Amino acid sequence: MRLFQHSCPACEGADDSLACAGRRGALGAMLGLGFAAMAPEAIAQRLGNGATRSIAISRAQTGESFDGVYWRDGRYDREALQKLDWVLRDPRMTEATPMDPRLFDVLNTVRSRLESTESWEVISGYRAPETNAVRARASRRVSRASLHMSGMACDCRLPGRNSLGIARLAADLQTGGVGLYRRDGFVHLDCGPSRRW
């Protein structure tokens, strides 16, 4: 089981997996670089430089979870981030990508402001371009340039909290994008530019 597994035809049989970035790497880099320049400073301001930041996440499709510290002593914990990357992988492709740690800051901030101790239930984290394309063909609500493909977004819910209340709070915090999917009972949260739908 590899953390960064892909099925890029150009990379198959290559001796060095780093020699070929593949389509996903290039797409993720373009999206990530484009939005990194517009990173919301509001996240850092609201979190401060506390000694630790923790998060609790469970994945709906796999039942896997993470509950622990992902930031300590002024820096992100690499081992914790790798575990979170795997929990938020694309289960359809069994593929993970490095998630943007600012996404965990958004989730941490929203959960903290809601004074919740529940785990975020994640419906969709990272999406491989193939998975995103399948979803975009099936629904107009799925963006073809989704931040899910660059590890900057997740669709989630908090048990015992309604999606409208979560979306309103997250939008007020202006820490990134907020999408309300009231009928489905979840919200989209990301660490891209502040916007709502």
Side-chain angles (χ1 to χ4, degrees):
M1 170 170 52
R2 293 185 331 184
L3 185 59
F4 301 104
Q5 186 175 10
H6 59 83
S7 59
C8 174
C11 299
E12 288 178 7
D15 292 335
D16 183 2
S17 62
L18 294 176
C20 178
R23 295 177 315 236
R24 281 183 211 106
L27 180 61
M30 287 187 300
L31 285 171
L33 287 174
F35 285 107
M38 298 182 278
E41 295 299 320
I43 299 170
Q45 290 171 354
R46 282 174 174 70
L47 287 172
N49 287 329
T52 62
R53 296 177 198 162
S54 60
I55 192 162
I57 290 177
S58 65
R59 189 62 192 261
Q61 297 89 342
T62 66
E64 294 170 316
S65 63
F66 176 89
D67 187 353
V69 173
Y70 69 93
W71 165 281
R72 71 181 77 237
D73 302 323
R75 67 175 57 147
Y76 292 103
D77 181 307
R78 225 178 260 191
E79 186 178 326
L81 292 181
Q82 288 176 342
K83 290 176 182 176
L84 284 161
D85 293 343
W86 186 249
V87 171
L88 294 178
R89 73 188 179 277
D90 181 339
R92 181 178 176 271
M93 303 291 287
T94 316
E95 180 179 313
T97 196
M99 299 297 289
D100 189 321
R102 295 171 305 159
L103 176 63
F104 307 128
D105 293 338
V106 169
L107 295 171
N108 174 300
T109 302
V110 171
R111 187 177 90 145
S112 174
R113 291 294 177 97
L114 288 169
E115 298 178 353
S116 173
T117 58
E118 297 293 328
S119 292
W120 284 105
E121 183 180 329
V122 174
I123 296 127
S124 181
Y126 168 68
R127 283 188 210 145
E130 294 86 349
T131 299
N132 198 73
V134 167
R135 289 190 177 191
R137 283 192 296 272
S139 172
R140 290 184 206 189
R141 298 187 312 170
V142 176
S143 169
R144 294 190 183 278
S146 173
L147 290 181
H148 286 275
M149 294 188 293
S150 58
M152 295 174 69
C154 71
D155 296 335
C156 53
R157 60 180 151 238
L158 267 175
R161 305 296 175 128
N162 74 41
S163 54
L164 177 60
I166 295 170
R168 280 185 175 158
L169 174 71
D172 287 346
L173 291 172
Q174 297 186 4
T175 56
V178 180
L180 174 60
Y181 296 89
R182 191 181 226 165
R183 184 178 56 192
D184 300 314
F186 68 84
V187 294
H188 165 102
L189 297 175
D190 69 50
C191 57
S194 181
R195 66 218 184 283
R196 62 178 82 177
W197 63 93

